[in-house]
Amino acid sequence: MSRTKAIFLFFMLQITLVFAQSPPGYDLWLGYSEIEEPALLKEYQNTFKSIYFQNGNEMLHAAERELTTGIKKMLRKLPDFEKLRNSENTVVIAKKSNLESSLLKRLAFDFDQLGADGFVIKTVLFERKQVLIVTANEDIGILYGVFGLLNLMQQRESLKHIMLSDAPKVNIRMLNHWDNLDRTVERGYAGFSLWNWQKLPEYIDQRYIDYARANASIGINAVSLTNVNANALILTPAYLEKVQALAKVFRPYGIKIYLTARFSAPIEIGGLETADPLDLNVQNWWHGKVKEIYDYIPDFGGFLVKANSEGQPGPQNYGRSHVDGANMMAMALEPFGGNVIWRAFVYSEHDTSDRAKQAYTQFVPFDGKFRDNVLVQTKNGAIDFQPREPFHPMFGAMPKTPLMMEFQITQEYLGFSTHLVFLPKLFEEVLHSDTYSKGKGSTVAKVIAGSLNQKKLTGMAGVANIGTDLNWTGHPFAQANWYGFGRMAWDPYLDSETIANEWIKATYSQNPNFITAIKSMMLTSREAVVNYMNPLGLHHIFDTGHHYGPGPWVSELSRPEWNPVYYHKADEKGIGFNRTPSGSDATAQYAPELAKIFNDPKTCPEEYLLWFHHLPWDYKLKNGHTLWDGLALKYQQGVDQVKTMIVTWDDSKQYITPEQHNEVRMLLQIQLREAKWWRDACLLYFQTFSKQALPEGVNKPTKTLAYYKSLKFPFAPGIRPQWH
Ligand code: GCV
């Protein structure tokens, strides 16, 4: 080859490489960075000399494609796949039914424990050679096994003696998108909705495929596409054919589609005069609609329903109950194997009792009355995705009902996508909480995994934080919350530190110094946000509507429970919501062992103090500070923790690219500014009641309370813009 031609080809290759690269952050945790450790690279190269990959359907092809992508990137070589098994194979990837009996013998594994989704990855000595086997009962197990294998390599684990078997502990591992049909996203902070309804069904955006890959890599197997504040149009043929196209993309990745069903759909799109669940015409309409949906999407998952909540229609409009509504839909879905996921996020302006008690009051009497294909989806706490809430008492009180956990991955009350907050810390706290419903050790995780009450149908949902932003989630670290949610939905007993470790290695760097520092930053980030927003059990003191920033002074909204003053109840005497027997008695909804602990301020964990108690400003905290001083110091601590996060991030600059460093640095600066805003606005406001000076160590606010009260945010994301 001539020199000129060689130079030309070299440049073409560079150009191809440049263009083949995804935008920063787009690859999520599937970047498959090159193996730089020489010994490990050699080991992997030897391992992947010849791969037998069972031929098969589109799911196995998807798995094989992923393995190709991963190996090409990590080992800088194209893998050598064989479609016929031969004695040279160093890797065998096949279902159990496709493995020769001699290999099965070597594996010596009880496949019953794997179920459909589980997998085994094991290196065995076979005919005097090492063979790495990835196997499972079903295709989906192979897909998860391949992602498991790639994950091990991203964690730089040696495969020489690997023996790993894993299976999910929860059946439905689901993302709930709150995407509107106009592509705005309720409480979305990462751009617009991914679903391009105009171009579907013909145009399949590569993003749909990459979204499915990312979900499958962490075991997510269900998604509801649209907002729970639902639009009935999604159930019409014009949209169903688009949903069908998405279902086709997601199917090879083991993901089922659910749709949000607006309870009044029979009226809005069916031409009926009522949506009464006991009306025969209404029942027939839903039966027909369900059949129509299954004609489009044979593996349709079912409906997710928000009914009689925040203005949404529901069975109570007709004097019927949640059971009547849910069971009516369940009967329509039953013949096709579909489920109803009925949300328990209900509270009413006509109920004057403590909002925190209302869902329990409405739902617990229905325990055991729902049909078998109904799951009741319950938010992690009794109010609404606050930075910290005690676990929802329903988790300890409905043993005969499959309760599905609803976490919020999108950061509605946690600084949007501008604050670095590692949510698996919050998820873990809730899942590890003890309900005591069957004595000590009856954790929420056991309720959700179904082991406490022997449930066959189990689920965990996360409200998605995904949008059209190049990096999917707005903040690069918000990707860790999507990742962590998926990992905990797969295994609710996992700990947040393990997840942080995995995510950092797969996303940023293998450097141990970087990992240690960033892991500790992530693990303290959740406590930091609690401290600078809602310390000591304060909650729902956010500004109205958009929930951007503090609004503890808001008191004039039409519904009492929409006003922050309802929640903090600050006055000259003190602060906090008395939920003990002398107050709203919400503690009675917990097991007696817990109620006893919560009822006494001396035994109540201080992180829930003002959630359960109204206490005087000079009440003595465990550390000897008065409540006023302690509260102020907590706000300051939150700000200081953000400052430390900035130092940690800056010190880690050398391990990542300048772009990676800079984007998070800019976001951390916003976080710091907003943490100070929270501290100053809240303390100035609460000071009008405590009438005490700020303690030493707390920075003096530089602006007045009037200034903070005057702020307006027409640009706040997450709700439809309100410019007027
Ligand atoms: C989808 C909170 C949010 C609403 C959300 C609601 C829910 O109230 O602010 O935006 O509506 O929860 O979970 O249904």
Side-chain angles (χ1 to χ4, degrees):
M1 189 190 312
S2 76
R3 195 160 172 268
T4 344
K5 198 166 171 195
I7 291 171
F8 174 76
L9 282 177
F10 175 77
F11 278 114
M12 285 310 287
L13 183 67
Q14 296 301 307
I15 288 168
T16 317
L17 283 177
V18 167
F19 283 105
Q21 268 179 11
S22 321
Y26 181 86
D27 286 336
L28 296 159
W29 47 88
L30 299 176
Y32 302 127
S33 63
E34 275 181 30
I35 312 283
E36 278 160 0
E37 306 79 345
L40 194 64
L41 179 62
K42 193 145 187 250
E43 182 208 305
Y44 285 169
Q45 280 168 343
N46 283 337
T47 301
F48 288 98
K49 266 193 191 130
S50 156
I51 307 170
Y52 167 72
F53 204 117
Q54 180 183 347
N55 209 352
N57 55 22
E58 46 176 14
M59 190 174 272
L60 291 178
H61 286 307
E64 188 178 322
R65 267 198 312 276
E66 194 66 32
L67 190 66
T68 309
T69 308
I71 293 198
K72 201 164 77 182
K73 287 187 164 181
M74 285 190 276
L75 308 189
R76 281 158 283 168
K77 86 182 246 296
L78 270 175
D80 189 1
F81 284 110
E82 316 270 350
K83 288 299 162 200
L84 285 177
R85 171 90 171 92
N86 66 50
S87 59
E88 299 307 308
N89 297 144
T90 49
V91 176
V92 173
I93 301 180
K95 283 193 286 186
K96 179 192 172 204
S97 54
N98 189 260
L99 285 181
E100 61 238 52
S101 54
S102 41
L103 261 191
L104 269 177
K105 227 186 219 157
R106 286 275 156 195
L107 266 178
F109 191 79
D110 170 16
F111 278 73
D112 286 348
Q113 53 180 285
L114 291 182
D117 292 3
F119 60 85
V120 191
I121 302 175
K122 185 171 180 177
T123 298
V124 298
L125 201 61
F126 187 64
E127 292 171 359
R128 276 184 271 150
K129 279 199 312 267
Q130 287 210 323
V131 181
L132 173 71
I133 302 170
V134 180
T135 185
N137 288 319
E138 304 291 343
D139 297 332
I140 183 70
I142 294 291
L143 180 74
Y144 290 147
V146 164
F147 277 115
L149 175 64
L150 290 167
N151 188 256
L152 286 170
M153 295 169 73
Q154 287 191 292
Q155 304 306 314
R156 305 301 191 248
E157 295 277 343
S158 165
L159 299 173
K160 266 192 210 154
H161 307 290
I162 190 74
M163 168 52 213
L164 170 76
S165 71
D166 201 3
K169 299 190 169 55
V170 174
N171 311 131
I172 304 175
R173 307 174 295 275
M174 182 176 196
L175 285 185
N176 289 180
H177 289 266
W178 284 357
D179 294 14
N180 297 312
L181 295 185
D182 63 6
R183 296 191 76 185
T184 56
V185 179
E186 182 152 346
R187 312 305 175 186
Y189 311 107
F192 287 90
S193 169
L194 290 182
W195 325 128
N196 191 331
W197 299 114
Q198 185 242 325
K199 289 186 182 159
L200 281 164
E202 291 89 354
Y203 184 79
I204 300 300
D205 194 323
Q206 178 61 33
R207 282 210 143 198
Y208 304 149
I209 301 162
D210 292 332
Y211 164 86
R213 287 174 54 227
N215 278 334
S217 75
I218 46 178
I220 286 173
N221 64 357
V223 299
S224 67
L225 300 174
T226 44
N227 195 348
V228 287
N229 291 331
N231 186 329
L233 282 180
I234 192 71
L235 304 177
T236 59
Y239 279 92
L240 288 176
E241 63 167 13
K242 298 168 189 294
V243 175
Q244 180 185 46
L246 288 174
K248 190 160 179 253
V249 176
F250 298 166
R251 194 165 291 124
Y253 292 94
I255 299 167
K256 280 190 179 181
I257 288 190
Y258 283 67
L259 292 175
T260 48
R262 186 163 163 88
F263 202 79
S264 50
I267 303 173
E268 286 153 13
I269 57 167
L272 300 189
E273 276 172 9
T274 175
D276 181 348
L278 299 194
D279 183 296
L280 203 60
N281 290 329
V282 172
Q283 294 172 359
N284 287 340
W285 186 85
W286 281 108
H287 274 87
K289 183 49 71 182
V290 164
K291 188 180 171 312
E292 184 188 351
I293 297 175
Y294 276 92
D295 285 344
Y296 282 99
I297 308 156
D299 54 355
F300 178 60
F303 293 137
L304 169 63
V305 189
K306 173 175 178 177
N308 292 123
S309 161
E310 299 186 330
Q312 294 300 305
Q316 291 172 350
N317 297 27
Y318 307 94
R320 315 296 183 198
S321 70
H322 287 293
V323 172
D324 296 329
N327 285 354
M328 181 262 302
M329 287 188 178
M331 273 164 72
L333 287 157
E334 223 163 48
F336 303 93
N339 300 315
V340 174
I341 301 175
W342 193 267
R343 293 177 87 229
F345 178 66
V346 294
Y347 61 99
S348 159
E349 68 270 41
H350 307 300
D351 185 343
T352 51
S353 70
D354 178 1
R355 171 175 167 186
K357 292 174 68 177
Q358 295 184 23
Y360 181 106
T361 310
Q362 284 199 41
F363 275 86
V364 171
F366 294 137
D367 190 25
K369 301 215 160 59
F370 291 98
R371 295 185 76 86
D372 287 349
N373 57 334
V374 178
L375 298 109
V376 173
Q377 182 167 297
T378 310
K379 289 190 181 181
N380 59 273
I383 297 288
D384 191 8
F385 299 138
Q386 298 301 290
R388 170 167 280 133
E389 295 190 41
F391 74 86
H392 202 307
M394 275 175 63
F395 290 120
M398 294 188 72
K400 296 188 203 130
T401 308
L403 291 180
M404 184 157 167
M405 171 63 76
E406 180 174 331
F407 283 127
Q408 193 179 42
I409 315 173
T410 192
Q411 291 169 236
E412 174 180 357
Y413 298 100
L414 288 114
F416 299 177
S417 276
T418 12
H419 292 209
L420 191 164
V421 184
F422 182 55
L423 291 178
K425 257 301 218 198
L426 184 163
F427 304 156
E428 167 186 71
E429 182 176 287
V430 175
L431 291 164
H432 291 185
S433 298
D434 198 341
T435 68
Y436 287 90
S437 57
K438 286 195 166 169
K440 204 168 162 33
S442 309
T443 59
V444 174
K446 287 185 188 165
V447 176
I448 296 307
S451 61
L452 194 70
N453 302 306
Q454 290 74 49
K455 288 277 154 311
K456 284 205 194 87
L457 193 55
T458 55
M460 195 190 289
V463 180
N465 61 347
I466 302 160
T468 49
D469 275 10
L470 285 182
N471 69 4
W472 303 85
T473 55
H475 200 303
F477 276 77
Q479 295 181 356
N481 296 334
W482 176 6
Y483 180 87
F485 166 76
R487 296 289 287 123
M488 280 186 169
W490 177 279
D491 181 356
Y493 304 101
L494 264 182
D495 65 278
S496 57
E497 183 170 353
T498 305
I499 293 172
N501 209 58
E502 285 177 10
W503 180 80
I504 298 169
K505 284 183 168 182
T507 308
Y508 274 112
S509 168
Q510 299 289 333
N511 184 288
N513 297 334
F514 181 85
I515 294 166
T516 310
I518 301 309
K519 192 163 65 186
S520 120
M521 175 179 86
M522 289 167 77
L523 293 176
T524 49
S525 62
R526 188 293 186 106
E527 208 54 40
V529 78
V530 169
N531 288 337
Y532 64 72
M533 284 187 182
N534 289 194
L536 296 176
L538 284 178
H539 52 286
H540 223 312
I541 54 173
F542 295 79
D543 201 359
T544 308
H546 47 61
H547 299 149
Y548 178 51
W553 45 80
V554 175
S555 64
E556 279 162 6
L557 303 176
S558 57
R559 287 175 62 165
E561 77 286 3
W562 281 352
N563 291 297
V565 294
Y566 172 93
Y567 299 96
H568 62 68
K569 300 202 186 306
D571 56 21
E572 273 71 18
K573 291 199 203 110
I575 182 169
F577 198 129
N578 181 0
R579 294 195 162 106
T580 70
S582 65
S584 79
D585 201 20
T587 52
Q589 295 183 337
Y590 291 95
E593 296 92 320
L594 271 182
K596 191 162 172 255
I597 296 172
F598 291 153
N599 279 338
D600 182 351
K602 293 288 165 216
T603 52
C604 178
E606 278 190 346
E607 61 262 33
Y608 302 136
L609 201 58
L610 304 178
W611 184 282
F612 289 118
H613 297 274
H614 186 84
L615 295 169
W617 292 108
D618 59 0
Y619 173 82
K620 276 268 170 348
L621 295 173
K622 290 192 179 112
N623 61 10
H625 287 297
T626 63
L627 178 56
W628 166 250
D629 284 0
L631 189 71
L633 287 163
K634 278 279 178 198
Y635 271 107
Q636 181 65 43
Q637 187 185 356
V639 171
D640 293 342
Q641 284 167 315
V642 180
K643 286 184 186 157
T644 308
M645 284 160 71
I646 294 176
V647 173
T648 306
W649 188 248
D650 282 351
D651 287 349
S652 307
K653 195 173 172 171
Q654 56 190 301
Y655 305 112
I656 50 179
T657 67
E659 291 75 22
Q660 283 176 321
H661 174 257
N662 199 34
E663 62 174 345
V664 174
R665 177 156 225 285
M666 290 186 287
L667 288 164
L668 283 170
Q669 292 299 341
I670 300 177
Q671 185 170 356
L672 179 60
R673 180 167 51 74
E674 296 188 352
K676 289 179 181 167
W677 166 30
W678 268 95
R679 176 197 60 193
D680 294 350
C682 291
L683 289 178
L684 281 169
Y685 171 72
F686 291 134
Q687 200 173 31
T688 63
F689 301 106
S690 81
K691 306 209 185 327
Q692 297 183 40
L694 291 174
E696 205 176 311
V698 178
N699 296 147
K700 303 270 169 298
T702 51
K703 306 238 169 41
T704 63
L705 179 58
Y707 164 80
Y708 290 116
K709 284 184 170 181
S710 74
L711 296 176
K712 295 274 173 289
F713 305 100
F715 47 80
I719 52 171
R720 289 203 173 89
Q722 293 167 352
W723 297 102
H724 304 296

